[in-house]
Amino acid sequence: MKKVIRVLFVFVLLAAITAKPVRADVAPPETVPGSNVNPESESTQVRMVAETVILTVSEDPANADHSTAETRAVFTMRNLGTEPETMDVRFPLSFFNGNSDGFGRFPEIEGIDVRVDGKRVATRNEVQPFLEGAFSFREREDIPWSIFEVTFPPDQDVVIEVVYTVQGFGYYPYDVFKYVLETGAGWNGTIGSAEIVLRLPYEASEQNVWVEDVIGYSPPTPGGVFSGNEVRWKFEELEPTFENNLEFVIVTPSLWQKVLTEDANITRNRNDGEAWGRLGKAYKEIIMMSHGNLRSDPVGQGMFELSRSAYETCLGILPEDPLWMYGYAELLWSHYYFDIYALGKPDTQNILPTLLMRLQTALSIDPNLQQAKDLLNEIYYAMPDAVSVEGDTYVYLGLTATPVPPTPWSAEATPTIPSTVVLPTSTFTMGVNTPEPTPVPSTNPLCGGAFLLPALFGLVIMNKKRK
């Protein structure tokens, strides 16, 4: 006898948000989790004995600011009963709860490939009513599903493989992918074993996969084990609930590739000032959040020091480049305002005088550098006791206290992370096993430091490059 049992597979929800970074309070909505078996359907004797899911991330060919993930899910199912069961297994092609992506759009998975015991099976798309009782609010009544028929003989394994591609959602420079485990609760008993693999196109680390919880941002999934270019999560005898759903927050691949590229450039030539500046800029883009503050978790703090050291080395080699000075100043300003000034901490490292000196010098070299003026205006409005504006002239009030001048760059002054910052052992390190640089003479009193153009502000005009 044929039983029609509607079962929801574990899946990754699709959201194709391609918004550019802005300093605003809006953010994409929380992606909704999966749901259990339709409560009105019959019970099943089919158990999910094992599942392996691999999300292979790559740069989105249509939008370099985001990424896609080919998702390959393999399920080993076993009918524990004495009679065969034939059922329509259905797979959601969009947000199953009826909500949009927050912008009134309902993106759908365009193609899905399903195989049962190695043989491709036909699928059909159906629009079916929203599952009543799961959520009280929804933006549409009907949900698109991909449906395929499977027969489960008694006491026999059936392997189902589902392959599809989804886009990451969120704001640059981060992409978010989710994988919903709680749907597996609809099968008989527990999930015997589950392994979820996030696979990147380069070595995975806690710098390019966010694993720390930060207040105000969606918490990622802890417990992943880093190995090569993968992060793995394993579960045994799991009766999944909402808390078991996984979320992966990654640095968008195009940006992390810039880090790798510039590190390789520095490895070849430690005196490449532009490469040091671009490396500092890349790290700054990674840790710069949508409100202008910097990541506050330990890994974020470590990358701040990497960015700062790279900028300082850049300006030691290129002491007359006002754009790199501005870029460095922006980094220091975000750190000073949010992590020191706003928290009432003492400025023990003379961050404010240092960044003001960089901006002052940048404008002395290029009086028309609008980015430096814009940043000084921002400082003026936030802290009028640090900068005042008198016509077209800026008065650097924050320099009345004698600042500690930065140490001039030298061959021996290879950028290092202060001992007070502890980075995980998997953290990426600049210029690993590279030769010592050739000394670059400089008489500029500010050659130990500089600052980068904010990743979230305007374009840089000098030489048509952003810094």
Side-chain angles (χ1 to χ4, degrees), residues 205-212 287 295-306 421-424 427:
S205 74
E206 293 184 1
Q207 287 187 329
N208 52 43
V209 180
W210 194 341
V211 296
E212 291 282 345
I287 61 176
R295 277 181 55 172
S296 60
D297 61 300
V299 176
Q301 295 173 26
M303 284 193 284
F304 165 77
E305 296 297 343
L306 288 172
V421 178
V422 179
L423 293 181
T427 298

Side-chain angles (χ1 to χ4, degrees), residues 302-440:
M303 284 193 284
F304 165 77
E305 296 297 343
L306 288 172
S307 178
R308 181 179 179 180
S309 294
Y311 273 124
E312 289 175 347
T313 306
C314 164
L315 288 198
I317 301 170
L318 304 173
E320 302 297 326
D321 192 318
L323 281 175
W324 287 130
M325 290 182 186
Y326 159 71
Y328 185 38
E330 188 215 25
L331 175 73
L332 295 181
W333 168 243
S334 291
H335 172 59
Y336 175 80
Y337 184 74
F338 289 99
D339 299 334
I340 298 176
Y341 180 77
L343 300 178
K345 296 180 179 179
D347 187 7
T348 57
Q349 298 184 32
N350 292 293
I351 299 295
L352 180 61
T354 300
L355 73 91
L356 292 177
M357 291 169 66
R358 302 305 179 270
L359 292 173
Q360 185 182 49
T361 304
L363 287 177
S364 70
I365 298 172
D366 182 2
N368 297 317
L369 185 59
Q370 189 61 46
Q371 288 82 357
K373 294 179 180 180
D374 290 342
L375 183 56
L376 283 168
N377 289 334
E378 181 180 341
I379 297 172
Y380 164 68
Y381 285 115
M383 294 180 57
D385 56 338
V387 174
S388 66
V389 181
E390 299 178 1
D392 295 331
T393 303
Y394 294 96
V395 180
Y396 301 86
L397 303 175
L399 293 179
T400 54
T402 303
V404 178
T407 303
W409 184 87
S410 67
E412 291 74 26
T414 302
T416 58
I417 301 173
S419 59
T420 55
V421 178
V422 179
L423 293 181
T425 55
S426 60
T427 298
F428 177 84
T429 304
M430 294 190 299
V432 177
N433 299 324
T434 57
E436 287 301 314
T438 301
V440 178

Side-chain angles (χ1 to χ4, degrees), residues 113-122 159-161:
D113 182 77
V114 180
R115 297 172 186 265
V116 177
D117 288 335
K119 298 180 180 179
R120 181 178 284 110
V121 299
V159 177
I160 301 176
E161 182 178 12

